[in-house]
Amino acid sequence: MADKTYLDWPFFAPQHAALEQALDTWAAEHIHDGHGSDVDAACRQLVRLLGQGGWLRHAVGGVQHGGALDAIDTRAICLIRETLARHSGLADFAFAMQGLGSGAISLFGSAANKEAYLPRVAKGEAIAAFALSEPQAGSDVAAMQCAAVADGDSYILNGEKTWISNGGIADFYVVFARTGEQPGARGISAFIVDANTPGFEIAERINVIAPHPLARLRFSDCRIPAAQRLGEAGQGFKVAMATLDVFRTSVAAASLGFARRALDEALAHATQRKMFGQTLADFQLTQAKLAQMATGVDAAALLTYRAAWQRDQGRNVTREAAMAKMTATETAQQVIDAAVQMFGGLGVVSEHPVERLYREIRALRIYEGATEVQQLIIARELLKSQKGQP
C-alpha cells in the first residue's frame, strides 16, 4: 500500500488529498497494467476513459473551456500524474500529453482557439500533441530548421519534427517553427496544426523501450491560417518555455509514482520471500537498501511539491522545477533498479511490474529536458542570482 502521509504536508490544501484519493479509487477500478500489442488503440481508450472520468479537466485551463479551474493547478496535475503512474505508465502518458499538447492553447490561445480545442481535450474527444524537437534541434531549440513563411492571412509550413509523442494518433499538434523575426530562439512562432491539414504527414513511427505513440512528422507546403498562431509572431520560444514550466514539475511527479510503485513492490516481496530460514527483509543489507529507497523518494517528493506549490503561488520556478525534475527522475531510476535487483531473476522477466517500471523510467531522464540540461538551468539560475539579475 503506497505511503500517503505526504498528503498531509503543508504544500497541499484539503481538496488535493481528496482529489488523489478519488483518483486512486477510480484508477484501481478502470486502469490496469499492460496494454496489449496495439498501443495506439490502448492510448486512445485511456484518453476516452480519463475524459469520461473527468480527470482531463485538470489538464485544461479555464472553466468556460471545460477546465476544472480558471487556471491550471500545478499541484493537482502533479498528484494526478503521480497516482496514474503508480497504476500505469501509459495512463500517465495519456493524461500528460493532453495537458502538454494543449497547454500552449490554455496559456496563449485566442478565445476562438480555446473554444475550438480545449473542451474536446477535456472530454477526451480530441488527442493533443506538442511538436518542438527536430532531428538536429532537441535541447538546442535555437537550431530549429522547420520554417513558416507568412503568406497573406496564412503561413506556409515546411520541415520536420521528431520524437513527437502522440504522433500518429493526435487530432492536432502545437508546432513550433522558425518565422525569422530575429535570429535564434527569438525568431520562432507556435501554431496549431490539425492532423487532416493538407501537406502534413506522419513520416515515420518510432518504437521505444516503453511503448507509446511516437513519430516523426513532415510538413510540405502546409498552409496554416494566421489565426492558428499562438501568441505573437516570434514569441514561440516563450510559448514553449511557459508550457514546459507548467508540466516539467509534473514529470518529476510521474517519476515519483514509478518510484513509489517500485518501493511498494520491493517491500511486499522482501517481507514474503523466504531465504536461508528467514525473509529477505530480515537481512540488514535489504533493510539498508529499503531505507535508501524510501529516503530518496521522500527527498524527491519534497522538491517536487515545493516547486508545484511555488508555481501555484505565482512564483517563477525555473530553478525549482529543474531541481525537482532532475532529482526525481534520477532517484526513481535508482529506486527502480534496486527493486529489480531485489527481485533477482524475476525482476527481469518481461512485463513483471518492476521490469515494466525499469523501461518506463528511462525516458523520463531525457524528455522535457535531459538531466544534463536541468543541471545547466540550475547553474544558470544560481549564477544570475549571484550577479543580482532578476
Side-chain angles (χ1 to χ4, degrees):
M1 183 65 177
D3 177 16
K4 299 292 186 74
T5 56
Y6 69 97
L7 293 170
D8 295 327
W9 290 353
F11 295 126
F12 301 110
Q15 66 266 24
H16 292 115
L19 174 70
E20 193 281 337
Q21 290 160 7
L23 176 56
D24 197 25
T25 300
W26 180 88
E29 180 180 349
H30 294 89
I31 305 297
H32 306 288
D33 277 340
H35 43 67
S37 60
D38 192 339
V39 178
D40 287 2
C43 201
R44 289 190 182 98
Q45 175 63 12
L46 283 166
V47 170
R48 285 193 293 269
L49 277 173
L50 290 165
Q52 291 165 4
W55 307 111
L56 293 178
R57 295 173 58 242
H58 295 276
V60 168
V63 174
Q64 70 274 34
H65 302 300
L69 300 167
D70 286 331
I72 292 174
D73 183 327
T74 314
R75 287 166 292 175
I77 290 283
C78 287
L79 284 170
I80 290 171
R81 288 203 64 182
E82 178 181 333
T83 303
L84 289 174
R86 277 197 290 107
H87 289 272
S88 161
L90 195 63
D92 164 63
F93 166 83
F95 175 85
M97 286 312 305
Q98 287 297 91
L100 182 62
S102 67
I105 302 175
S106 290
L107 294 171
F108 294 94
S110 66
N113 293 153
K114 291 177 180 179
E115 184 56 35
Y117 293 95
L118 296 184
R120 293 189 294 140
V121 170
K123 293 176 183 176
E125 296 172 353
I127 296 177
F130 183 84
L132 181 63
S133 296
E134 297 184 6
Q136 302 301 321
S139 299
D140 183 9
V141 176
M144 184 177 297
Q145 296 179 10
C146 186
V149 177
D151 183 43
D153 60 356
S154 300
Y155 283 84
I156 307 299
L157 181 61
N158 283 282
E160 290 192 352
K161 296 291 178 180
T162 194
W163 309 115
I164 306 307
S165 292
N166 276 347
I169 70 167
D171 295 289
F172 68 90
Y173 299 77
V174 170
V175 179
F176 296 85
R178 182 164 301 287
T179 44
E181 289 75 16
Q182 294 188 55
R186 296 183 180 180
I188 293 168
S189 300
F191 303 90
I192 307 169
V193 180
D194 291 317
N196 60 1
T197 303
F200 168 74
E201 64 175 319
I202 302 300
E204 177 190 14
R205 293 299 299 269
I206 303 170
N207 296 316
V208 289
I209 58 174
H212 66 268
L214 193 69
R216 177 165 59 91
L217 318 179
R218 181 179 294 131
F219 306 92
S220 302
D221 292 332
C222 196
R223 183 175 291 273
I224 311 299
Q228 297 284 91
R229 191 184 68 215
L230 296 168
E232 298 299 319
Q235 289 191 344
F237 183 76
K238 174 184 174 182
V239 172
M241 293 305 104
T243 305
L244 289 170
D245 266 355
V246 174
F247 292 97
R248 181 167 286 146
T249 305
S250 80
V251 179
S255 302
L256 276 175
F258 292 144
R260 290 194 199 276
R261 174 68 182 273
L263 179 56
D264 286 349
E265 296 285 345
L267 281 167
H269 178 70
T271 53
Q272 295 168 13
R273 176 76 161 95
K274 302 293 184 182
M275 293 184 68
F276 305 110
Q278 57 186 344
T279 67
L280 183 60
D282 291 321
F283 290 92
Q284 288 186 337
L285 279 172
T286 305
Q287 293 171 15
K289 184 58 69 176
L290 290 170
Q292 291 171 348
M293 295 162 75
T295 302
V297 168
D298 267 14
L302 284 164
L303 284 173
T304 299
Y305 288 111
R306 176 188 71 163
W309 174 80
Q310 286 184 308
R311 189 186 179 282
D312 286 340
Q313 308 311 304
R315 303 182 191 180
N316 181 296
V317 294
T318 300
R319 184 184 72 170
E320 290 80 2
M323 286 179 169
K325 201 269 185 184
M326 176 183 72
T327 302
T329 55
E330 293 292 331
T331 298
Q333 181 80 69
Q334 295 163 14
V335 169
I336 292 166
D337 185 73
V340 170
Q341 192 75 8
M342 207 171 292
F343 271 88
L346 190 59
V348 292
V349 172
S350 181
E351 293 304 313
H352 187 280
V354 295
E355 184 271 341
R356 192 159 47 237
L357 289 167
Y358 194 83
R359 289 184 285 109
E360 292 281 4
I361 188 56
R362 192 58 186 86
L364 273 68
R365 293 169 57 204
I366 297 173
Y367 78 67
E368 290 195 38
T371 294
E372 293 75 13
V373 172
Q374 305 310 319
Q375 291 171 335
L376 292 174
I377 291 170
I378 295 163
R380 183 191 67 199
E381 293 298 308
L382 285 172
L383 292 170
K384 283 170 57 178
S385 176
Q386 178 69 16
K387 295 174 182 176
Q389 297 175 359

